[in-house]
Structures are given as C-alpha cells and as structure tokens.
Amino acid sequence: MQSTDLGNKESGKIWHRKPSPGTRDGIIVNIIHSTSDYHPKVLRFLNVAFDGSGDSLIAGDHQGNIYVFDLNGNRFNLVQRTAQACTALAFNLRRKSEFLVALADYSIKCFDTVTKELVSWMRGHESSVFGISVHASGRYAMTTSSDTAQLWDLDTFQRKRKLNIRQSVGIQKVFFLPLSNTILSCFKDNSIFAWECDTLLCKYQLPAPPESSSISYKVFAVTRDGRILAAGGKSNHLHLWCLEATQLVRIVQMPTSVRAVRHLEFLPDSFDAGSNQVLGVLSQDGIMRFVNIQTCKLLFEIGSVDEGISSSVVSPHGRYIASIMENGSLNIYSVQALTQEINKPPPPLVKVIEDLPKNRLSSGDLQMKVTAGKVQRPALRPKDSRIQTRILKQDLTGNVENKENELSDGLNKKRLQILLKGYGEYPTKYRMFIWRSLLQLPENHTAFSSLLDKGTHVAFLNLPQKYPIKSRKLLRVLQRTLSALAHWSAIFSDTPYLPLLAFPFVKLFQNNQLICFEVIATLIINWCQHWFEYFPNPPINILSMIENVLAFHDKELLKHFTDHSVTSQLYAWPLLETLFSEVLTREEWLKLFDNVFSNHPSFLLMTVVAYNICSRAPLLNCNLKDDFEYFFHHRNNLDINVVIREAYHLMETTPSSIHPDSMLDAFTALTKGQYPVFNQYPTFIVDYQTQERERIRNDELDYLRERQTVEDMQAEVDQQRVDDEAWYHKQELLRKAEEARRQILLHEEEKMLQQRQKLAAVKRELKMKEIHLQDAARRRFLKLQQDQREMELKRLDDEIERKVQMRDQEIASTAKDLEMRQLELESQRRLYEKNLTRSQEAVAKDLREDADAYRRRVDLEENLLHKLIENDRQQSQKAQQVIEANLDQAEQACLNTDWQIQALYKQKCHDLQRSECYQEVAKLLQENRRKEVEVLKAMMEEEALKWKEAEEKEFYLRSERKAAALSDASRRWFLEQQISAAAEHSETPSHGDMSGWRDDQGDLSSLPRTSQLNDISETDSSTQIPFSRKLAEWDSTDQNLMQKVRNLRWRLAAQARSRCQASRLVAT
C-alpha cells in the first residue's frame, strides 16, 4: 500500500510508482494531510465527491483546504482555501470544472477548479448543510439541512423553491433520483415522498414499513436506474423499496455484528444496465460490507475495526471507492482488485484424468488437464502397462466447425458469441483483445512501417482544413492512417467518405496505429465487400440488397420511402459510410460492433435494415426530404439493444434468395507478412481521377509559383515605397529647415519695413486709390455685362412664357367650350329635375291632404260611435250586441266606400299626373332633338375651322422646326400625345349610328302617346304600382338619354381628333 502526504504542497503526484492494489485490501493509495508547524498535526478530511466521469474526485478537510485528485493523470491540486470546514461537496455539475461546497457558516459557494475563482455565493440556510444533490442534467441542485431543503437554479444561482417543515419533523435526506425528474424527500418520522421537479407536485408517498421490522430510517441509497431504494438505520435490517410499485419488496438482515447502519452505497456495474445488485453497507464498527441484494451473499468488505471507515463514495463507473477513515486520512480502493476473486471464471466442466506410468494410482499422484471435447480417466489392464482411456462424456459434434471457430490466443468464436448474446456486449477491459482475436490481425509491423515511411499522401495534405479536429494528436493519427490506406490501395485516396469511416477506429486505437490500420483494412476487405464496384457512385448492389430485405420485412415503410422519393442512398448509405458513428453514442457503437465483428459480414447490412425498422414510427411521420436527411445524420432516441435483436431476427428469418450472406464472401483475415492486394474497383476511373488530380496539382504548383513571384514583386514595391517615404521624410525635414531660415529672414525684413513705413505711406495711399478706381470700373463693366445677360434671359423667358401662354390659352379655350357644353347639359338636367320635383311635391301634398281629411273623417265617426255606445250602454246585453254588430257592419261599409272613393281619386290623380309628365317629356325630347341638330351643325362647322387651323399650324410648325430645340421638343411631345389619344379612341362614328340614335329618340318620343291610349283595365292595374317606382323609371330614362348625348359628343370629338392627326401625319 502506498501512502502520500500532501503536506504544504499545492500540487504533485498522487503516487510515485505504479499502484498494485492487493486482493485482500484493494487499496490503491492512502492520502494524509499533515502540517509541518512547530507542533505537527494531521488535518482530517471531512467530505469527498467524484465528478461525472468517475476519474477525478474532490476532497475537503476541516480547515477548508479543497483538493482535486486526478486518478488518470496521477495529479493532485489545491484549488481553494475556504478557511472554514466544509460540510458537503458536489462535483458533478453541468460545467465540468465547477464544484459546490457547503461551509460551516451555513452558506454554499461555487468555485472553478481551473481558474480557482469564486463563481457564486448562495445563502439561505439557517443551519448546517449536510447534503448536496445535483440533478442529472446538472442544472439544478438540492441543498439539505436539518430544518429545510432548498432548490437552486445553477444557471442563475437563484433559489427556486424552499421546503419548510414543522420543528417536530426533521429532514433526513432530500435528493434527486438518477435519470429522472423526481425529488425524493425522507423525514425523521419514516415518511418518504416523491415530488415532480418542475411543478413540485407530490407524485406518490411510500407506505409505512411493517411493524415486525420497523426501524427508524437514517441512511438511504438508490440504484442508478432509480427503481430500488435501500433504507437503513439503527438496526441490522435493510429495507428495499420498489419505487415504481411503491411497495416494500425485500428485507435484508445483516450479520449480528451489525447493530446500526451508518452509510449505504450501491456499486455500479457496466453490465447491469443501472439495476445495481451490489450494495455497500457501512456499519457502526467502521467496516463496509458489500452484499448482493438478490442472493444476500457477502461479496467483500473494506475497512477493519482498527482502521474504521467514517464515510465512503463510489465512482459513477464503479471502478473506485473513496473512503474517509476515522483517523482523517483518505483511502482510494480498486473495485477490480476487490472483486478479482469473485470474477474468476468457473472451473472447466471437462477434465482428463490420466494414470501414473506404473499400475498404481494414488489420490496425490493424479494430474488433471483441460481438453476441448472429451474426458479421459485412467484404467488398468491385468497383463500389460498400457494406459486405456475411457470417455466419460459424449464426444462433442462438429469437430471441424470447432477448429474453424478456434481463434488465436486460446479463444473460441462460438463461446464468444454465446457470451455476447448473454451480456449484449464484451467486457470493456477485454474488448480490444477480443476484437483483435476475432479479426485475426497479423500485426505486420514491417509492411505497416513501409507504408508509413511513404509519408503523408497528397490527397490528405489538407485534411486539417476539411476536418478541424481539436486534438492535434488525433488529427495526426487520422492523417497517417488515411495516408497508409491510400498508399496501400489507390482508390482510398479518392474515397470521400473514408475519413468518416475510419475516424471512430482511429479515436479508439489512437495509441496503436498498427492495430488501427489493420482493423480498418480488415473491415474494408470483409464488411465493405463490393462497395467500390460502382465507384465513385455509392454501392448500388449493396443498397439493392438492403432494399430487398426491407421490402420483404416492412413493405409499408419502403412504400413510405418510395412515396416521398427517399431512396436507399438516403436511408441506408449515410449509416454505412459512417458506420453508424453519427447516430450512435460511443457505448452504443462499441456494443454494435461487438456483434458486427462476431458475425458474418452480412450482419452489418441487416443492422441497417433493423435500424430503419426500429425507427419506423418517427420515419412514417416524416414527410419532407430534409427531415429524412436530418434523421439519418443525427442521434435519435433508439435503444441499440432493440436494433441488435432485430438484426439477429432478420438474419434468421430472411429467405436465402435475398439474404446478403449468399452474395457476400465469408470472413477473410489479412495475410501474414504482407498485406493483400486490394483492387476490387474500376481501375480506369481511379487512374483517370489520379491523372486529373496530378494535372490539377501541377496547375496549382504553377499558380503558387506565380503567386510567389507576385508576392516577391509586391515585397519589392513595398520596399520601394518605404524608401520613397524615407526620402520624402528627409525632404520634409529639409523643407522645414529652409522654412525656419526663411522665417528668420522675414523677421529681419519686417524690421526694415517698419523703418520704411513712413516713407511708403503716401505711395500706398495713392496706390489704394488707383486700385479702388480700377475696381469700381471693373465692377461697373461686370454690372453692365450682367444686366445685358439678364435682359437676354428675360427676353428668352418672355418668349417662352408667351408661347406657353398661347398654348395654355388654346387649351383653356377648348376646355371652356367643353365646360360650357357640359354646363348647358347640366342646366337642362337640373331644369328637368326641378320640374319633376315640383310635380312630385304637388302630388305628395295632395296625398297628404287626402290622408288628413280621411283621418279627420274617421275621428269624427269614432266620436259619434263612442257617443252612441255611451247612450245605449244601459240597454240589455242582447240589444247591445245587435246594435254593435249593426254598427260594425255600417262602419265596415263606410270604410269600404271611403277606400273605393279614395282609390278612384288616386287613379284620377295618377292619370292626370302621367299625362302631364308625358307631355313634358315629349316637349323636352323635341327640344333636345332640335338642340342636338344645332350642336351637330356647330360641331361640323367647328371641325372645318379646326382642320383649317390645324393645317395653318402645321405649316407654321414646319417653318419653325429648325428655329429652336425647345419648340421642336414641345411639338414632338404634342404629336406623341395626339397619336396615343388617337390609338385609344380609334372608333369613328358613322351615319348608321346617327340614324340609330335618331330612331331611339323617335321611340322615346312615341312612348307617352302609347301610354295614354291604354284601356281602363291597364289603368286600374297601374294604380297598384307605387308612385315612387314610376319616378325611378323616369329618372333612369332621363339618365339614359343624357348618357347617349354624352356618348355622341365623345364620338364626334374622337372623330375630329383622329382626322386632325391623320392630316398631320400626311403633312409630315
């Protein structure tokens, strides 16, 4: 056992020679911390915690010194001095370099192990914090004291919730369940509650334990999958609770020497999938016993009565146990050394017993040896000394097959497959050894060295730019391995996906490049058969095999792929070219290739089909091609164990006609001494690409040489520019010196000028006067020139304004004529509307008077009726009814008569009004026809005048076209406007239209006469039509008439414009 004293050192090695823990105690190293003061003493460690990886731990002593121990790197570092005792530690935060420490002043601090700086300081507890639990995501932390538990957000370091309890009920422990979002709270009254982390709603409560084994719970532990809760206290009984069923499933009784349980820890195992079976129980005697909770068997124990354990922590991966001893030191145990006796393989089932050379046998002289298939034991013959062998066990079948399954290093492939099916993967410690045996690697050091001596292949010189890997060592190993593959076979220099295919193996075997190269080469020869026959295209034959198998086992999924144009190059080729490294984690990928290397090369293709079938639910929900591409290039929520089982199922149930194993060769190992020639690809394509690449490389070298020449020239130019700048700087200094001398001379000259000022005063005045006179003359001349230019500009402006005014006057006169015509028509329409309104008002007034007279008559009759009713009220009921009936009949008859009279009166009024309106309309129509004839005549005269005027203007325009550019542009614009107007209004009126219009006018004029000749029945029926409808019909007739007048005028104007335009075009 090695012992390390930290002393006053802030960093150093944990052990100075390679640790070799013994199987008895399993101690790797014992760490103590003593001071070298005048009175030396040992500083006691109080708390210890592992990080998420399990390879580093943090420990704090009672003076507040906190150390980080890196077990892989064999280094320790003092990261913080808090100057007060730490009561709890947590090292599994989201940011790997940060840790939480609870101090004696009831506060929690967060420090960084790299920068050694304070990150945050959290306060809120009023008593000592004895527990810190961190959520699996590393985002939340739960701190526990005796009176409260508080939930913290580690992103903001703010308190989210606080659990307050009564003083009579204390808190034992509050912690997060692993791999879940549940908080478990355990109280001193044995009540256990489960809470939802986000909503803090109570999910369930565990029932009370049975009275026959009722103990006061003090310590708790949960398995890594969060299903089993172990609880103990002041008793040698342990209670195992199933949290899913919320019931007590088992009570474990410890040995009688155990009177109380001080601490519980489950021991993780990489093969138990989180359902830990080994529980460490620290009892009051300082011994921690590890028992199997299923078999209740004591496996091993650490600590002793003399060197007792105070507390222990197990690393997440189950390799180390860190224990704080009662003497204050820190012991680190190796779980592998402690379990070495337990994990020994069982003794062989088949043994051979041979007799001695002489015919005497004794129990001490028998020898046993293990053979592959039969058991022999000694037997005696009476006459000679020959040894006879008797088979005790039936001979195993398939000797030839056993020979084929025999691997190097004494391994058997069949047995490895049985082990693989039982555990799902090979042990991590022996995985690389098993792979090397399965692949039968020849380890050709000489051949591999010759490939490495060829240097980096030109195809991978720019590999760091294409794949910027953070680790320089890993990038260098990847570049060497790819270069060796390219030197081995030329096709690998042109294979674009080779880095993706080789990277997981390079990362796995980065410390042994020979094994890495041979594993990849064996993989290419066996599991990548026929991949390069269609190079540089994907292997269509391999993808067809996958598609056939998928079509046989899941036609619906294949149809979904086909419906969305998803081919095997999208759902199969991305998985093959990356060997599932993009969609699987490291552990899942290793487990998968345990099975791939243990089976026929067709197993890899079956795994692709199995992956698609197991992912059919999310794939059937995908409808976009981008979604499919994202799915097959990113990790998905898929259990790799299910995929592997499905792959085995496909291997067994796929018909031989489409099974890939019938088209792929069996496994072939690399040859010893020299690597085999790999030429299973179209050589002409690779040779052509090599030639093209060489040509491009030569062009690139030429370009680089030219660029170097240009850079040299640029350097010369820069040097020349520097020289020029230096020369200019020197000239500037000379100029400044000259300027200084000049300033001195000027100063002397100023002194001389001061002496001559009085003599030159008169001369200066005369000179100034002369200058003033010359300046006045110059200004007068400039003013004259300016006035002349202004007059010229004004004359030009007047000319332009005159022409613009003439044009505007012509436009205004034309617009006024149109406005006058519009006003005339508008006045006619308003006069007609005014007369019509008057007639309507008269009719409405007559109707109101008739209605008022009718209401007065009805009121008078009602008053008379009321008086009669009042007078006859005293008569008998029968007489009253008769009188009322007679009165009702009389009233009804009166009303009917009045209505008939009123109807006849209305009919007469309507007839009179219609006759008057018709006569007025006929007069208006005649007047309109007369005016329209006058308008037409006037327009024709105006048209003739306009034609004559247009010809005169056209002649004037032709004569003035060469006068000025402004007039020419104006006339050109005017012609373009006229042409566009003529194009829009190309329709010309004809005599037929005029005659049709006159016929329409005639029909309208004859309408009143026909209406007046209607018979009495038509008149009676017309009385039922409301008068407002008649008025609406008159309005619509008038509007139609006015619209036709406007249309006629528009047609005449368009015809005139078109004729004018045509004449102008002919003239030009």
Side-chain angles (χ1 to χ4, degrees):
M1 178 184 70
Q2 299 187 54
S3 181
T4 301
D5 188 359
L6 302 181
N8 294 328
K9 295 182 291 185
E10 294 187 356
S11 63
K13 292 185 177 182
I14 303 176
W15 51 77
H16 296 280
R17 66 179 185 273
K18 185 176 181 180
S20 56
T23 58
R24 186 180 60 84
D25 55 6
I27 299 176
I28 298 176
V29 66
N30 172 253
I31 303 172
I32 61 175
H33 187 196
S34 61
T35 61
S36 59
D37 298 336
Y38 180 74
H39 294 288
K41 61 179 180 179
V42 176
L43 300 181
R44 298 174 55 84
F45 286 101
L46 298 180
N47 288 281
V48 63
F50 278 95
D51 66 350
S53 65
D55 295 326
S56 298
L57 60 93
I58 190 169
D61 57 25
H62 70 276
Q63 284 192 354
N65 300 315
I66 300 175
Y67 290 87
V68 171
F69 299 92
D70 184 3
L71 301 181
N72 276 350
N74 187 24
R75 298 292 296 177
F76 72 86
N77 289 287
L78 176 65
V79 294
Q80 198 58 236
R81 287 190 174 97
T82 60
Q84 52 184 326
C86 61
T87 58
L89 287 171
F91 198 20
N92 54 340
L93 277 63
R94 177 187 295 180
R95 292 173 285 274
K96 305 301 181 184
S97 61
E98 295 180 359
F99 66 92
L100 296 176
V101 54
L103 302 175
D105 61 352
Y106 311 152
S107 66
I108 301 100
K109 293 184 179 180
C110 180
F111 293 100
D112 194 300
T113 59
V114 177
T115 62
K116 300 181 181 181
E117 295 181 353
L118 177 66
V119 178
S120 181
W121 192 347
M122 297 175 285
R123 291 182 176 273
H125 284 278
E126 298 179 355
S127 59
S128 178
V129 177
F130 56 78
I132 300 176
S133 177
V134 181
H135 192 266
S137 64
R139 182 179 178 184
Y140 303 109
M142 179 69 69
T143 58
T144 309
S145 59
S146 59
D147 57 349
T148 184
Q150 300 184 11
L151 179 64
W152 303 88
D153 188 344
L154 297 183
D155 288 339
T156 60
F157 294 100
Q158 298 293 326
R159 184 174 64 187
K160 292 189 64 177
R161 294 295 178 91
K162 181 179 180 181
L163 174 63
N164 294 317
I165 60 171
R166 297 193 303 270
Q167 294 181 356
S168 59
V169 181
I171 298 176
Q172 289 286 8
K173 190 174 183 180
V174 179
F175 57 96
F176 290 99
L177 289 182
L179 305 178
S180 68
N181 208 25
T182 304
I183 302 174
L184 209 64
S185 59
C186 310
F187 301 95
K188 292 183 178 180
D189 59 354
N190 280 9
S191 61
I192 300 175
F193 294 87
W195 312 84
E196 183 68 29
C197 177
D198 296 332
T199 61
L200 293 181
L201 297 177
C202 183
K203 298 175 66 175
Y204 56 84
Q205 178 186 2
L206 296 183
E211 296 180 358
S212 60
S213 180
S214 179
I215 59 176
S216 179
Y217 293 153
K218 297 292 184 182
V219 291
F220 306 88
V222 181
T223 57
R224 300 293 174 180
D225 58 1
R227 296 182 178 180
I228 301 298
L229 171 69
K234 291 183 178 180
S235 172
N236 64 345
H237 286 185
L238 298 176
H239 288 184
L240 301 179
W241 293 87
C242 178
L243 298 181
E244 292 181 345
T246 64
Q247 62 182 1
L248 184 65
V249 294
R250 181 169 297 177
I251 299 175
V252 179
Q253 184 176 0
M254 297 297 292
T256 56
S257 58
V258 177
R259 297 190 303 274
V261 179
R262 293 167 55 186
H263 188 71
L264 293 175
E265 280 284 343
F266 276 100
L267 183 63
D269 191 353
S270 58
F271 297 101
D272 57 9
S275 59
N276 310 135
Q277 304 297 321
V278 180
L279 176 64
V281 182
L282 178 61
S283 58
Q284 85 288 344
D285 55 3
I287 300 175
M288 192 167 189
R289 299 170 176 86
F290 288 85
V291 298
N292 190 308
I293 60 176
Q294 297 295 331
T295 62
C296 294
K297 180 182 178 181
L298 179 63
L299 303 179
F300 61 91
E301 59 185 25
I302 58 175
S304 62
V305 177
D306 297 332
E307 297 180 357
I309 297 175
S310 176
S311 63
S312 289
V313 178
V314 181
S315 63
H317 50 51
R319 298 177 187 171
Y320 306 108
I321 301 174
S323 299
I324 298 177
M325 311 306 290
E326 292 180 348
N327 59 8
S329 63
L330 177 64
N331 279 0
I332 299 177
Y333 296 88
S334 172
V335 177
Q336 180 182 357
L338 292 170
T339 59
Q340 187 172 359
E341 293 293 334
I342 304 171
N343 294 332
K344 278 186 176 180
L349 299 177
V350 180
K351 298 179 181 179
V352 176
I353 303 174
E354 297 180 352
D355 60 354
L356 295 174
K358 297 182 179 179
N359 294 331
R360 292 179 298 175
L361 296 175
S362 62
S363 60
D365 295 331
L366 287 178
Q367 296 180 353
M368 295 183 296
K369 68 177 181 179
V370 180
T371 60
K374 56 185 179 180
V375 179
Q376 297 178 347
R377 71 178 184 182
L380 298 178
R381 293 190 64 180
K383 292 184 179 179
D384 54 8
S385 60
R386 294 181 182 176
I387 299 174
Q388 182 180 4
T389 302
R390 184 178 178 185
I391 298 176
L392 300 179
K393 188 174 182 180
Q394 187 177 1
D395 196 3
L396 298 177
T397 60
N399 291 327
V400 177
E401 183 180 356
N402 286 336
K403 291 181 180 179
E404 293 178 355
N405 291 324
E406 288 296 331
L407 302 175
S408 60
D409 302 316
L411 297 180
N412 185 278
K413 187 173 182 180
K414 285 293 183 182
R415 292 181 181 179
L416 289 176
Q417 290 177 348
I418 294 173
L419 175 66
L420 182 62
K421 289 184 179 179
Y423 291 97
E425 61 180 340
Y426 293 128
T428 304
K429 181 178 180 180
Y430 304 105
R431 175 178 280 119
M432 301 301 106
F433 172 71
I434 294 173
W435 281 15
R436 290 167 63 181
S437 300
L438 287 172
L439 299 178
Q440 303 176 24
L441 302 181
E443 299 186 15
N444 299 328
H445 292 275
T446 305
F448 181 68
S449 299
S450 64
L451 292 176
L452 288 182
D453 293 341
K454 295 181 180 179
T456 303
H457 197 276
V458 293
F460 302 107
L461 289 175
N462 298 326
L463 188 67
Q465 286 75 24
K466 296 176 64 177
Y467 299 96
I469 302 175
K470 185 177 181 181
S471 174
R472 302 297 302 172
K473 175 185 176 183
L474 188 60
L475 179 61
R476 192 163 52 251
V477 174
L478 177 62
Q479 194 173 31
R480 289 178 181 175
T481 305
L482 296 178
S483 299
L485 290 170
H487 290 310
W488 175 45
S489 180
I491 190 173
F492 297 128
S493 63
D494 300 325
T495 306
Y497 56 85
L498 185 63
L500 302 176
L501 185 142
F503 180 74
F505 296 100
V506 171
K507 191 172 183 181
L508 196 62
F509 298 100
Q510 57 181 321
N511 295 323
N512 195 335
Q513 300 181 34
L514 170 64
I515 300 299
C516 178
F517 171 80
E518 292 187 348
V519 168
I520 297 173
T522 306
L523 177 76
I524 292 173
I525 291 176
N526 293 279
W527 283 270
C528 299
Q529 297 180 39
H530 310 295
W531 279 29
F532 307 99
E533 294 180 357
Y534 294 91
F535 184 83
N537 299 316
I540 308 225
N541 48 355
I542 300 296
L543 299 179
S544 300
M545 296 180 196
I546 296 174
E547 187 170 352
N548 292 335
V549 176
L550 181 62
F552 180 79
H553 291 281
D554 198 337
K555 295 182 179 178
E556 181 184 358
L557 181 59
L558 182 61
K559 185 177 182 302
H560 180 70
F561 286 154
T562 306
D563 293 342
H564 294 86
S565 301
V566 176
T567 63
S568 56
Q569 297 186 17
L570 183 57
Y571 67 79
W573 183 234
L575 302 177
L576 289 176
E577 66 179 356
T578 60
L579 295 180
F580 293 87
S581 60
E582 282 186 342
V583 297
L584 298 179
T585 61
R586 174 187 173 89
E587 290 75 14
E588 293 174 344
W589 187 86
L590 291 173
K591 185 181 295 187
L592 172 62
F593 271 84
D594 284 344
N595 292 270
V596 170
F597 288 152
S598 302
N599 289 277
H600 191 271
S602 61
F603 186 83
L604 181 61
L605 307 184
M606 291 300 187
T607 305
V608 175
V609 180
Y611 188 87
N612 282 271
I613 293 175
C614 294
S615 306
R616 68 189 313 274
L619 288 174
L620 290 176
N621 291 328
C622 294
N623 295 321
L624 300 177
K625 195 170 184 179
D626 294 339
D627 296 341
F628 288 102
E629 292 180 357
Y630 182 87
F631 184 87
F632 290 105
H633 285 87
H634 293 79
R635 294 178 182 175
N636 304 293
N637 187 14
L638 189 62
D639 188 0
I640 190 62
N641 297 318
V642 178
V643 176
I644 294 172
R645 286 197 298 270
E646 182 64 24
Y648 278 110
H649 175 70
L650 295 177
M651 289 286 289
E652 296 173 358
T653 58
T654 303
S656 59
S657 59
I658 62 173
H659 203 293
D661 61 359
S662 62
M663 291 167 274
L664 298 178
D665 298 333
F667 174 79
T668 303
L670 295 177
T671 56
K672 199 76 172 176
Q674 292 293 332
Y675 296 116
V677 177
F678 186 81
N679 55 2
Q680 300 175 3
Y681 57 88
T683 56
F684 65 94
I685 294 179
V686 177
D687 295 340
Y688 173 74
Q689 290 185 350
T690 304
Q691 294 174 2
E692 286 296 314
R693 190 179 294 105
E694 188 66 25
R695 184 184 59 79
I696 294 172
R697 189 177 299 108
N698 294 330
D699 294 343
E700 186 176 2
L701 291 175
D702 295 340
Y703 165 73
L704 292 175
R705 284 194 294 270
E706 293 178 0
R707 189 175 68 177
Q708 184 64 32
T709 304
V710 172
E711 290 177 355
D712 295 340
M713 295 176 62
Q714 183 66 31
E716 293 178 359
V717 171
D718 294 340
Q719 184 63 33
Q720 184 66 31
R721 185 172 65 252
V722 171
D723 296 341
D724 292 344
E725 289 179 355
W727 184 82
Y728 284 125
H729 180 67
K730 188 176 181 180
Q731 293 297 322
E732 182 68 19
L733 293 176
L734 294 174
R735 190 189 62 78
K736 288 181 179 179
E738 184 182 358
E739 187 69 24
R741 304 304 188 276
R742 188 178 291 109
Q743 291 294 332
I744 295 172
L745 293 175
L746 289 175
H747 184 67
E748 296 295 332
E749 289 178 357
E750 286 178 358
K751 290 182 180 180
M752 294 178 66
L753 289 174
Q754 289 176 1
Q755 297 175 0
R756 297 177 181 177
Q757 283 180 355
K758 294 180 180 180
L759 297 176
V762 177
K763 185 178 180 179
R764 186 184 305 111
E765 290 177 356
L766 294 174
K767 191 70 175 177
M768 292 298 297
K769 288 181 180 179
E770 183 179 359
I771 291 172
H772 287 314
L773 291 173
Q774 292 177 355
D775 187 60
R778 184 178 61 82
R779 284 198 300 271
R780 193 180 303 109
F781 179 74
L782 293 176
K783 184 70 169 57
L784 179 61
Q785 287 183 343
Q786 184 177 1
D787 293 338
Q788 291 178 354
R789 292 180 180 177
E790 288 178 356
M791 291 176 64
E792 184 69 19
L793 290 174
K794 188 175 181 181
R795 185 180 64 78
L796 294 174
D797 290 338
D798 293 338
E799 184 68 20
I800 293 171
E801 185 177 358
R802 183 179 63 80
K803 293 182 178 181
V804 171
Q805 287 179 357
M806 290 176 61
R807 185 192 62 188
D808 293 338
Q809 288 176 1
E810 292 176 358
I811 295 172
S813 61
T814 305
K816 287 181 180 179
D817 294 340
L818 295 176
E819 288 177 359
M820 288 298 297
R821 294 174 185 174
Q822 184 67 26
L823 289 174
E824 289 175 0
L825 294 175
E826 186 67 22
S827 62
Q828 293 176 3
R829 186 182 64 81
R830 289 182 179 179
L831 181 62
Y832 174 77
E833 289 178 354
K834 183 177 180 181
N835 295 332
L836 187 62
T837 303
R838 287 179 180 177
S839 62
Q840 290 177 355
E841 288 178 356
V843 173
K845 184 177 181 181
D846 294 339
L847 290 174
R848 285 195 299 273
E849 289 176 356
D850 294 339
D852 293 337
Y854 175 75
R855 282 195 298 272
R856 287 194 298 271
R857 187 167 56 254
V858 170
D859 292 337
L860 181 61
E861 290 175 357
E862 287 180 352
N863 291 331
L864 292 175
L865 180 62
H866 286 300
K867 288 180 180 179
L868 291 174
I869 293 171
E870 186 69 24
N871 292 330
D872 296 335
R873 186 177 298 171
Q874 299 177 356
Q875 295 180 6
S876 62
Q877 188 68 24
K878 185 175 180 180
Q880 186 176 0
Q881 292 178 356
V882 173
I883 293 172
E884 287 177 354
N886 294 332
L887 287 174
D888 289 338
Q889 293 177 358
E891 183 180 1
Q892 185 66 32
C894 183
L895 290 173
N896 292 336
T897 305
D898 292 336
W899 279 109
Q900 293 176 359
I901 293 171
Q902 186 176 2
L904 292 174
Y905 179 75
K906 286 182 178 181
Q907 290 176 3
K908 292 180 180 180
C909 291
H910 290 168
D911 293 337
L912 292 175
Q913 290 174 358
R914 277 200 308 276
S915 61
E916 292 175 357
C917 290
Y918 293 160
Q919 291 176 2
E920 290 176 358
V921 168
K923 291 179 180 180
L924 289 173
L925 290 175
Q926 292 176 0
E927 185 66 23
N928 286 337
R929 284 197 299 272
R930 184 180 59 79
K931 290 181 178 181
E932 286 295 331
V933 172
E934 294 176 356
V935 167
L936 289 175
K937 291 180 179 180
M939 291 179 68
M940 293 175 66
E941 294 174 356
E942 183 68 17
E943 180 181 0
L945 294 175
K946 287 293 181 180
W947 275 112
K948 185 176 181 181
E949 184 179 357
E951 291 175 355
E952 293 175 356
K953 288 183 178 180
E954 192 67 22
F955 177 77
Y956 176 77
L957 288 174
R958 283 195 303 269
S959 63
E960 293 293 327
R961 184 172 295 142
K962 299 179 182 179
L966 183 62
S967 299
D968 189 14
S970 177
R971 284 193 302 275
R972 196 176 299 118
W973 175 82
F974 177 78
L975 289 173
E976 290 174 356
Q977 291 294 325
Q978 292 297 326
I979 291 171
S980 63
E984 291 176 358
H985 308 287
S986 60
E987 182 181 1
T988 56
S990 61
H991 294 286
D993 295 333
M994 295 294 295
S995 62
W997 181 80
R998 289 193 184 98
D999 293 341
D1000 293 339
Q1001 295 296 327
D1003 295 338
L1004 290 173
S1005 63
S1006 63
L1007 180 61
R1009 297 183 181 89
T1010 307
S1011 300
Q1012 291 176 2
L1013 297 177
N1014 290 334
D1015 55 3
I1016 300 301
S1017 61
E1018 293 178 351
T1019 304
D1020 293 339
S1021 62
S1022 64
T1023 56
Q1024 305 298 327
I1025 301 174
F1027 185 71
S1028 60
R1029 185 181 300 174
K1030 295 294 184 178
L1031 294 178
E1033 292 177 356
W1034 294 342
D1035 291 339
S1036 63
T1037 304
D1038 180 57
Q1039 291 176 2
N1040 292 333
L1041 180 62
M1042 298 301 295
Q1043 184 64 31
K1044 289 187 177 182
V1045 171
R1046 293 190 189 98
N1047 292 337
L1048 178 60
R1049 291 179 176 177
W1050 174 76
R1051 290 174 182 173
L1052 292 174
Q1055 183 180 9
R1057 283 195 298 269
S1058 62
R1059 291 176 180 175
C1060 179
Q1061 187 64 31
S1063 62
R1064 289 174 183 174
L1065 292 175
V1066 171
T1068 57

